[in-house]
Amino acid sequence: MNLAAATNETLAEASNVLIYSSMAVYTLAFFAHIAEWVFGSRSKVGRTAAALSASPAAASAAPAVKAQAGGTAVLERPEVITRSAAGMRDVPDGPGAAGGTFKGDLYGRIAVSLTVVAFVVEAGGVITRALSVQRAPWSNMYEFSITFSTVAVGSYLVLLALKKNVRWIGLPLVTTVLLDLGIAVTTLYTDSDQLVPALDSYWLWIHVSTAILCGAVFYLGAVGSILYLFRDSYENKLASGGTPGKFASSVMERLPSAASLDKFAYRINAAVFPLWTFTIIAGAIWAGDAWGRYWGWDPKEVWSFITWVAYAAYLHARATAGWKGRKAAYLALVAFACWLFNYYGVNIFVSGLHSYAGV
């Protein structure tokens, strides 16, 4: 074994160590987020669910809620009112997973700090993987998966750095990342290897990197849509005079309002849709260089286009037909399901020119 091969093997082993290390830190972040939600459930906010009634006047008149832990700090519940679309309620956003408690907020900050550390470690694993093969680290499903989760966490941290109220994404995000990495290191793992001829192009950096970024951001939008559906059901039950269970009240009332979650999902999906359009165009150009045709009805090409149509229909329905709320959320989730099938289903179960799963 020559020196270069030995160095590459060492880098590949270092990448594996870093990925496993990031999983350990993500696990700590997961438990910290759990603690944030648990301590947040002890907040006095739990006694103010009636403020989220159907009446806008009642919502706007809801008193600020203070929660005190050990006499050390008092945090005010945010007085945020989201003006929703016609036919939807105007209710205040919840105070977040911490519920306005000092301990909940402390554990939430710890969780975010651990997530930052895990992100840096995982990014190091992706970079060392790239160095070990001296190419872009996403030529198979294992490499795509570790890069995807890295970009998803990075996107979340960017939103936090921009002072966006998105810490409520932390727990579902970290949970998903652990599942993604668990599948990657057990089922999808592939040893470092060189590219097949069709992938040996600078378009790999352009096309696949944008596909990963789009998928990561679409994922954040899907989380917003799922939580919107739960929150909307909770608000509907309150509006109809029902009494949600203690667990539902404890969790749902700390989330942003249904209108805020609906708007968040829409803005995320709308922002990244042009980049997904570029991804498909870039793939067509690459196909022309690699195979001598821009479009050949390959399964990956077909499902990429189906995903584009689904998101286009979602955005078009919101803009022209006034589809907001639950119908739009269902359509957004169908679109993301198409993206997931394009990644997992097509790569594993369907044969085609894009069969680079490596498993």
Side-chain angles (χ1 to χ4, degrees):
M1 181 182 296
N2 57 38
L3 179 60
T7 301
N8 291 341
E9 183 176 343
T10 300
L11 287 171
E13 292 176 355
S15 173
N16 295 339
V17 170
L18 288 171
I19 295 300
Y20 277 103
S21 298
S22 71
M23 293 177 66
V25 183
Y26 278 128
T27 301
L28 295 177
F30 170 80
F31 285 116
H33 274 300
I34 291 291
E36 177 187 20
W37 282 93
V38 168
F39 282 105
S41 69
R42 301 177 182 179
S43 168
K44 293 180 182 178
V45 174
R47 302 168 192 166
T48 64
L52 301 181
S53 64
S55 170
S60 62
V65 177
K66 298 182 180 180
Q68 188 167 358
T72 57
V74 176
L75 300 178
E76 296 263 352
R77 179 178 181 174
E79 291 292 334
V80 179
I81 302 294
T82 299
R83 293 298 169 188
S84 58
M88 298 182 66
R89 296 162 298 275
D90 290 337
V91 298
D93 286 335
T101 64
F102 175 79
K103 284 189 176 180
D105 184 66
L106 175 62
Y107 278 105
R109 293 176 182 275
I110 292 173
V112 171
S113 299
L114 288 170
T115 302
V116 171
V117 174
F119 166 75
V120 172
V121 174
E122 186 183 10
V126 173
I127 293 171
T128 52
R129 176 80 175 195
L131 293 175
S132 71
V133 290
Q134 301 178 7
R135 57 166 171 77
W138 41 71
S139 70
N140 53 61
M141 287 188 69
Y142 169 73
E143 295 173 352
F144 192 102
S145 294
I146 62 175
T147 307
F148 169 80
S149 57
T150 303
V151 175
V153 174
S155 302
Y156 164 69
L157 295 178
V158 167
L159 291 176
L160 285 178
L162 294 175
K163 307 298 183 182
K164 303 298 182 180
N165 177 26
V166 294
R167 205 164 80 186
W168 44 271
I169 298 179
L171 180 57
L173 173 65
V174 171
T175 303
T176 304
V177 167
L178 284 172
L179 290 173
D180 175 71
L181 292 178
I183 294 173
V185 300
T186 56
T187 304
L188 303 178
Y189 182 77
T190 305
D191 290 328
S192 299
D193 201 356
Q194 294 305 311
L195 295 170
V196 297
L199 285 178
D200 191 10
S201 168
Y202 62 89
W203 282 105
L204 176 67
W205 291 93
I206 301 172
H207 172 65
V208 184
S209 63
T210 55
I212 293 173
L213 178 58
C214 290
V217 179
F218 281 147
Y219 163 78
L220 296 181
V223 172
S225 294
I226 291 172
L227 293 180
Y228 159 78
L229 292 173
F230 284 108
R231 172 74 185 207
D232 185 62
S233 295
Y234 173 75
E235 291 182 8
N236 283 335
K237 193 165 189 177
L238 288 176
S240 62
T243 304
K246 290 184 179 179
F247 178 79
S249 296
S250 174
V251 174
M252 290 296 110
E253 69 194 7
R254 285 179 277 160
L255 291 175
S257 68
S260 291
L261 290 169
D262 182 56
K263 184 182 296 183
F264 169 81
Y266 171 68
R267 287 178 173 175
I268 285 289
N269 290 327
V272 78
F273 179 73
L275 188 60
W276 181 248
T277 304
F278 169 79
T279 300
I280 295 177
I281 295 173
I285 297 173
W286 187 8
D289 289 344
W291 301 312
R293 89 290 186 279
Y294 295 103
W295 186 265
W297 298 103
D298 184 74
K300 179 71 71 172
E301 298 169 350
V302 171
W303 276 96
S304 295
F305 181 67
I306 290 174
T307 302
W308 184 90
V309 170
Y311 275 109
Y314 163 74
L315 296 174
H316 179 73
R318 286 195 61 120
T320 61
W323 273 33
K324 295 178 175 63
R326 300 187 73 85
K327 292 189 295 183
Y330 289 135
L331 188 52
L333 292 177
V334 167
F336 184 68
C338 291
W339 188 92
L340 282 180
F341 181 79
N342 188 31
Y343 172 50
Y344 285 104
V346 173
N347 282 356
I348 296 176
F349 302 113
V350 182
S351 297
L353 292 173
H354 289 79
S355 298
Y356 305 125
V359 296

